[in-house]
Amino acid sequence: MRDVKQRLNPKAFKQSSKSDELSGDIRVISEEIQSYKQRVTSSIIEIGKRLKHVKENDLTRGRWLEWLASLQIEARQAQRFMQAFEQFGNTSASTHLESGKIIEMLTLPPEVDRAEFIAKKHTVPSTGEEKAVAEMTTRELREVVKERRKAAGLVRDKAPSHPKQDSKRESTTIGSGTDYADEIQEFIEAAKRLHPDIKWAVFNCRVTIRQAILISTLPDHQQKVLGEIIMRAYEKFDVRFYHIFRAISKSYKIETIEQAMRLLEKLASNVFIIGSVVSTARMETSILEMMADDSTTEQTFREQLDEFRSRVEEATSNWRKHYEEEAGRFRNMFGSLTQNPRSDNPYKVLGLPEGSPFEEVTARYRSLMQVVHPDKGGSDYLFQSVKAAYDEIRAANKMAV
């Protein structure tokens, strides 16, 4: 086959053979790799430009997430691509940088001029060296960006963490020699900075000691917001505490956070209905990731929540429509059941001729349960009637056997 291709197009074969050969010079290889990395950066910006165009003009007709899924692009990834275009699309200085550095610079304070930041030299905190962005490693750039965010008041120092106790120590009872003196002292200091609502939450076991210590690092007005969230007693608060904490530390309004929590609860309570149409797990993951992501603005988060809520409402509406159609079909087939479900004749309840084979009774019972079961949106009254009728026939069948 190789010989045939060579005879048919010897010129192209000769060119492709040469292109497959790699240089033995490490400097040449390094330059080639850098060139390919730059192409990735250009691609990200161009993809972001097109994603932004599609979203702003609603070219997907409300099917934004489905369209992204068809491209195998996550919502969070798409958001970063669009941010890359918005922040660096008009900055020619960014085209020679690798994509990882572009992503790191997305969280720079809004007032920082991107072109100027790329051109200037900065002090790397860990080494004290003066370097331009192009000369830094990705880790060094992350340090510099973090310092800029701290200077702008966007980052607060984390509360000291404690190593997790092993299972043996966790099970130790009070008075057996366990020493929590350091943690108690730390909490005593943290309590001086806690808002009264948070102190109440600690006293009433709504938050843990470690959570309270972390909350104490927030300004008083943000602690008050978190206290109001705690008072609402949302489901899975403890599991979602970190994400709520991160959202509040980014100065999200309480209305935005409550909107997110209500949507999360709706996804959990209607998982059977909504989950049959859309991925509830993917929605929940996206919501929590955006709450904890420094680069997600409140406006972007609210827009995403609105889109999710719209999809949930559409899914619920479609399911209800489907259920009504099935219920109508059911009434047409088994009118006697809906008109008089508690008939004295169990066969009549199931819509079968009296004395029908037990195998036919079982098949009819299973098909009815797909419609009348409460978990499937049916009626508890009809469910109990069908079950009672089936149990009566089954008992009689056992006695006959």
Side-chain angles (χ1 to χ4, degrees):
M1 187 68 180
R2 181 184 178 92
D3 293 338
V4 171
K5 288 182 178 180
Q6 187 174 7
R7 286 198 300 269
L8 291 174
N9 196 349
K11 185 177 180 180
F13 183 83
K14 186 176 181 181
Q15 289 176 345
S16 64
S17 298
K18 287 183 178 180
S19 64
D20 290 338
E21 296 177 4
L22 298 177
S23 172
D25 189 333
I26 187 62
R27 290 174 298 179
V28 174
I29 295 291
S30 299
E31 290 174 0
E32 290 175 346
I33 290 175
Q34 290 296 341
S35 175
Y36 281 114
K37 288 166 74 175
Q38 290 164 19
R39 294 183 201 176
V40 172
T41 300
S42 299
S43 298
I44 287 177
I45 292 174
E46 288 299 323
I47 291 172
K49 179 180 180 180
R50 285 154 179 79
L51 290 174
K52 182 177 174 67
H53 174 72
V54 169
K55 189 168 187 180
E56 287 183 346
N57 293 281
D58 193 24
L59 299 184
T60 61
R61 302 292 187 271
R63 300 286 182 177
W64 169 252
L65 290 179
E66 293 179 16
W67 179 64
L68 288 180
S70 71
L71 298 175
Q72 297 183 336
I73 298 177
E74 295 290 338
R76 186 179 179 185
Q77 187 182 26
Q79 179 62 29
R80 287 183 171 177
F81 286 168
M82 289 188 287
Q83 288 175 334
F85 167 68
E86 291 168 354
Q87 297 183 27
F88 300 99
N90 296 322
T91 306
S92 59
S94 64
T95 56
H96 68 282
L97 298 175
E98 55 192 85
S99 58
K101 292 183 179 180
I102 296 295
I103 299 300
E104 290 296 335
M105 290 189 290
L106 292 180
T107 58
L108 279 169
E111 64 272 13
V112 174
D113 183 274
R114 270 42 179 179
E116 184 180 340
F117 182 85
I118 293 171
K120 286 177 59 178
K121 288 199 172 187
H122 308 274
T123 303
V124 179
S126 61
T127 63
E129 295 180 88
E130 292 283 330
K131 289 186 176 181
V133 173
E135 299 169 331
M136 297 179 195
T137 63
T138 304
R139 179 175 295 181
E140 289 173 337
L141 178 58
R142 187 177 303 133
E143 293 179 29
V144 173
V145 170
K146 186 174 181 180
E147 287 300 312
R148 278 299 188 98
R149 288 176 58 78
K150 278 185 179 180
L154 299 176
V155 176
R156 295 181 62 87
D157 293 330
K158 292 183 180 179
S161 59
H162 294 274
K164 187 176 179 180
Q165 307 293 336
D166 56 38
S167 57
K168 183 177 180 181
R169 181 166 181 175
E170 287 288 350
S171 62
T172 306
T173 56
I174 297 175
S176 62
T178 303
D179 184 9
Y180 293 106
D182 291 342
E183 187 170 357
I184 292 173
Q185 185 59 41
E186 186 178 0
F187 173 68
I188 291 173
E189 292 300 318
K192 298 175 183 178
R193 304 186 298 271
L194 289 176
H195 187 276
D197 289 350
I198 304 300
K199 292 179 181 178
W200 177 90
V202 174
F203 184 77
N204 288 276
C205 302
R206 296 288 187 91
V207 296
T208 66
I209 295 296
R210 289 190 176 93
Q211 288 173 346
I213 293 172
L214 185 58
I215 293 171
S216 71
T217 64
L218 293 173
D220 191 68
H221 69 281
Q222 291 184 348
Q223 289 191 38
K224 184 179 180 181
V225 171
L226 185 50
E228 292 182 29
I229 296 293
I230 294 171
M231 298 290 185
R232 301 289 193 277
Y234 288 109
E235 292 182 9
K236 296 185 179 181
F237 170 82
D238 194 57
V239 176
R240 296 165 179 162
F241 168 79
Y242 171 75
H243 303 89
I244 297 171
F245 174 85
R246 290 294 306 125
I248 291 175
S249 68
K250 292 189 291 182
S251 299
Y252 279 18
K253 294 178 182 177
I254 187 171
E255 295 82 3
T256 302
I257 299 172
E258 288 184 332
Q259 182 182 348
M261 297 304 290
R262 286 194 296 270
L263 182 55
L264 288 170
E265 287 190 342
K266 188 170 186 178
L267 289 172
S269 62
N270 295 280
V271 65
F272 174 80
I273 297 174
I274 303 170
S276 63
V277 183
V278 299
S279 174
T280 54
R282 181 177 294 178
M283 275 192 186
E284 180 178 354
T285 300
S286 295
I287 291 170
L288 296 177
E289 283 182 350
M290 286 188 289
M291 290 175 76
D293 184 14
D294 285 338
S295 64
T296 303
T297 64
E298 183 173 11
Q299 179 62 30
T300 299
F301 185 53
R302 289 181 70 93
E303 289 174 359
Q304 194 66 71
L305 288 178
D306 289 341
E307 182 174 340
F308 282 155
R309 186 174 63 251
S310 175
R311 293 189 66 197
V312 167
E313 290 173 354
E314 181 183 359
T316 305
S317 174
N318 290 340
W319 189 91
R320 285 175 179 166
K321 182 180 179 182
H322 172 73
Y323 168 71
E324 289 172 1
E325 291 175 351
E326 289 298 312
R329 186 172 63 86
F330 169 76
R331 284 191 293 269
N332 292 335
M333 292 176 63
F334 313 112
S336 59
L337 174 59
T338 58
Q339 294 166 10
N340 186 20
R342 292 195 178 277
S343 169
D344 292 335
N345 188 326
Y347 288 97
K348 189 176 181 181
V349 171
L350 298 178
L352 292 171
E354 189 167 354
S356 296
F358 186 66
E359 292 78 8
E360 188 176 342
V361 171
T362 301
R364 178 60 58 86
Y365 168 73
R366 289 174 178 171
S367 66
L368 290 177
M369 279 298 172
Q370 294 298 317
V371 179
V372 302
H373 199 290
D375 289 347
K376 298 183 180 296
S379 162
D380 184 65
Y381 177 62
L382 294 179
F383 168 74
Q384 295 296 338
S385 298
V386 171
K387 187 175 185 305
Y390 175 71
D391 288 343
E392 183 178 341
I393 296 175
R394 183 175 61 175
N397 182 68
K398 284 184 177 180
M399 292 180 63
V401 173

